[in-house]
Amino acid sequence: MFHRYSVLLLSSLALALASCMNPDYDLTREIDTTMCVEGDVSVPIGNTEAILIGDFLHLPSFSFTPDADFHFSDHYDVSGWNSTFNNENASFDFDKLTLTLDFLNHIPLRFVLTATAIDVDENPVPEIGIELTADIKGGTLNNPSTTPIEIVINGGGDITRLDGIRLMIEAYAPGSDLLGTPIEPSQCVRAENIKARLQGKVDIEL
């Protein structure tokens, strides 16, 4: 779903939060003050670009027809967030950061997704809890499946270590309606209607 695209655009989350709290505020104006955003705030983030199957999975071949018993395990890193959580102009203290999105699957494979937090060295950070269990139906280029999913990042650990999440992917053959559909390099996944919901506090230097 995302790799090193700035898919969730968390690098701009602090400014987005400030803007949504006061839409008339000129973010280019230089003033010496701090805005405290506290409580429960939701921010629209947007959509991702298409992520081709060759970037999403490390299959030995991208031109084949999966058998009914096909199963392949892989992972995909969504990273690059650390500069946000260690930003000199914003400090985060949150209970939960919830990301909601629609997962569009143009690949004729079923995916089961879970996730773990990772640091800048791509090592797991188990003390930062990630809640995600998603079952994604297979789709095609012209008729993708759409699955709403929710990713909850719990703020109990050292959030300054967080650089993103690692999606653990279990890929299976699609249902009987798509069984026999070839895998092709042009197939892809994407995320749309991404929203971030912050429950906690952000202090933003404006």
Side-chain angles (χ1 to χ4, degrees), residues 145-184:
S145 70
T146 302
T147 305
I149 68 175
E150 179 179 86
I151 304 169
V152 179
I153 303 169
N154 295 301
D158 182 2
I159 207 67
T160 62
R161 294 185 59 197
L162 181 66
D163 191 51
I165 62 174
R166 173 162 295 155
L167 292 176
M168 310 305 297
I169 307 166
E170 299 295 332
Y172 300 92
S176 57
D177 55 333
L178 292 179
L179 192 62
T181 305
I183 301 296
E184 300 176 357

Side-chain angles (χ1 to χ4, degrees), residues 3-20:
H3 202 41
R4 291 202 178 261
Y5 294 107
S6 32
V7 177
L8 303 173
L9 303 184
L10 283 176
S11 61
S12 63
L13 179 58
L15 291 182
L17 284 167
S19 177
C20 79

Side-chain angles (χ1 to χ4, degrees), residues 47-84:
N47 305 328
T48 72
E49 300 176 9
I51 301 170
L52 293 173
I53 183 173
D55 295 320
F56 190 61
L57 296 173
H58 299 93
L59 292 166
S61 172
F62 297 107
S63 296
F64 71 99
T65 301
D67 297 327
D69 59 352
F70 175 83
H71 179 215
F72 184 79
S73 298
D74 206 346
H75 72 268
Y76 188 84
D77 290 348
V78 186
S79 55
W81 304 355
N82 192 261
S83 60
T84 295

Side-chain angles (χ1 to χ4, degrees), residues 135-148:
D135 197 327
I136 311 295
K137 293 182 178 180
T140 65
L141 280 174
N142 295 324
N143 188 26
S145 70
T146 302
T147 305

